[in-house]
Amino acid sequence: MEAVMIIDILRRAKANVVVASVGDNLEILASRKVKLVADMLLDEAANLSYDLIVLPGGLGGAQAFANSDKLVNMLKKQAESNKPYGAICASPALVLEPHGLLKGKKATAFPAMCNKLSDQSFIDNRVVVDGNLITSRGPGTSMEFALGIVEKFFGRPKALELAKVMLFVH
Amino acid sequence: MEAVMIIDILRRAKANVVVASVGDNLEILASRKVKLVADMLLDEAANLSYDLIVLPGGLGGAQAFANSDKLVNMLKKQAESNKPYGAICASPALVLEPHGLLKGKKATAFPAMCNKLSDQSFIDNRVVVDGNLITSRGPGTSMEFALGIVEKFFGRPKALELAKVMLFVH
Ligand SMILES: [Cu+]
């Protein structure tokens, strides 16, 4: 759900979104057996450079992300180059934190996993933007997370326009 | 997005959800080029009976639904048997209304399409339940729509529990 919300909303903002699979198959079995098809495998996606790399959540997904050296290296390079990256739900705690990608940053995550974050001062926020890092809490905050990304890259008026058109706000 | 929200949330409530494709391929190109894979083709799905049939939105999707005689017949049978059915976004206006499936019912739809509804007295509501019919407005109301379905079938405490766990409400 989080993946689809982010992909759909960023594409509405006219972002060029690449959906990559960390598995060896384009078909992704997401949370609750929702079946998605990626645009490319991570092996191919790793050859491109990105204005932003985002990790959706889901326990299975987050574990697969954490185990992908290729993805973790992409994220580390992104952070070292001072370029934006983000994660939601289980991923801030299971992927970013253990690989040092939250170091010195305010962040949030799925409530049951926030105890894994070394800095817990901002965990109660639904979306946290700290410099190049953007994090959020779970399925119910994924629209705000996606709109937060739209705001960061395309400005607040665009984010508010989408929120209205999509009926997220009245 | 609407399809995935509904599938994911209903499965969280332990509903047995079948995702059917009205095309002749299991792979579905959804709104904003999100690629989903259905569980079965509608031809096969039509052989089963359902406690509820739900149509997600999207202009392309709604047009394909309206053009599927098989789906329209399933919906008509569902209505005649006094069994629940629902639609969101473009689908109430493009599928249910022209096939007489909103007759005598309060309903809502995507704002730009509400002029097609013969009864407009409830269009400002984000989710409308009128007997066996449940309708809603668009992407930003799809979580409320799915939770409304959960409430109808599994009770309000279950819907509230999911809303909390998913961080839709605090
Ligand atoms: Cu829609």
Side-chain angles (χ1 to χ4, degrees):
Chain A
M1 181 194 305
E2 295 155 4
V4 170
M5 299 277 272
I6 297 162
I7 298 162
D8 180 304
I9 294 174
L10 291 185
R11 284 188 178 151
R12 281 173 200 256
K14 310 270 182 247
N16 182 3
V17 180
V18 172
V19 182
S21 165
V22 292
D24 33 48
N25 201 298
L26 285 182
E27 206 171 295
I28 299 165
L29 192 61
S31 186
R32 274 72 196 180
K33 303 209 169 156
V34 169
K35 280 169 260 171
L36 306 176
V37 182
D39 299 319
M40 53 179 84
L41 298 179
L42 188 72
D43 280 349
E44 189 186 344
N47 298 324
L48 302 169
S49 81
Y50 299 94
D51 295 326
L52 170 75
I53 300 174
V54 184
L55 311 177
L59 195 57
Q63 284 163 341
F65 300 154
N67 291 330
S68 164
D69 291 341
K70 189 153 265 177
L71 177 62
V72 170
N73 282 334
M74 284 174 75
L75 289 164
K76 285 185 175 169
K77 264 195 216 157
Q78 190 83 356
E80 283 160 15
S81 326
N82 281 314
K83 289 171 76 178
Y85 57 105
I88 185 166
C89 200
S91 290
L94 297 186
V95 190
L96 300 185
E97 174 72 36
H99 290 103
L101 290 156
L102 297 184
K103 222 159 115 184
K105 299 267 189 194
K106 305 295 180 198
T108 189
F110 191 69
M113 298 206 164
C114 279
N115 60 344
K116 296 192 197 296
L117 304 192
S118 43
D119 181 342
Q120 309 203 351
S121 58
F122 271 59
I123 56 169
D124 286 338
N125 293 280
R126 292 170 69 86
V127 178
V128 178
V129 181
D130 185 3
N132 284 317
L133 175 71
I134 179 162
T135 52
S136 186
R137 309 206 82 184
T141 67
S142 54
M143 196 175 279
E144 287 145 273
F145 178 57
L147 290 171
I149 294 170
V150 170
E151 181 175 344
K152 188 174 170 61
F153 285 89
F154 302 96
R156 192 165 176 83
K158 186 72 194 172
L160 287 172
E161 177 205 319
L162 283 180
K164 253 192 169 161
V165 172
M166 298 178 69
L167 298 156
F168 187 50
V169 293
H170 304 259
Chain B
M1 180 193 308
E2 294 154 5
V4 169
M5 298 278 271
I6 298 163
I7 299 161
D8 180 302
I9 294 174
L10 291 184
R11 284 189 179 149
R12 281 174 200 255
K14 310 270 182 249
N16 183 2
V17 179
V18 171
V19 181
S21 165
V22 291
D24 34 48
N25 201 298
L26 285 181
E27 206 171 294
I28 299 165
L29 192 61
S31 186
R32 274 72 197 178
K33 301 205 173 162
V34 168
K35 280 169 262 173
L36 306 176
V37 182
D39 299 320
M40 54 180 82
L41 298 180
L42 189 72
D43 280 348
E44 189 185 347
N47 298 323
L48 302 168
S49 81
Y50 299 93
D51 296 325
L52 169 74
I53 299 175
V54 185
L55 311 178
L59 195 57
Q63 284 163 341
F65 301 155
N67 289 332
S68 165
D69 291 341
K70 190 152 263 177
L71 177 61
V72 170
N73 281 334
M74 284 174 75
L75 289 163
K76 286 185 174 169
K77 264 196 214 156
Q78 190 83 355
E80 283 160 14
S81 325
N82 280 314
K83 288 171 77 180
Y85 58 104
I88 185 167
C89 200
S91 290
L94 297 186
V95 190
L96 300 185
E97 175 71 35
H99 289 102
L101 290 156
L102 297 184
K103 220 159 117 183
K105 299 267 189 195
K106 305 294 179 198
T108 190
F110 191 69
M113 297 206 165
C114 278
N115 61 344
K116 296 191 195 296
L117 303 192
S118 44
D119 181 342
Q120 309 205 352
S121 58
F122 271 59
I123 56 169
D124 286 339
N125 292 279
R126 292 171 67 85
V127 179
V128 178
V129 181
D130 186 2
N132 284 317
L133 174 71
I134 179 162
T135 51
S136 187
R137 309 207 80 185
T141 67
S142 56
M143 197 174 279
E144 287 145 273
F145 179 57
L147 290 170
I149 295 170
V150 171
E151 180 174 345
K152 186 171 172 64
F153 285 88
F154 302 95
R156 191 163 176 85
K158 186 71 194 173
L160 287 172
E161 177 204 321
L162 283 179
K164 250 190 170 162
V165 171
M166 298 177 70
L167 299 156
F168 187 50
V169 293
H170 303 260

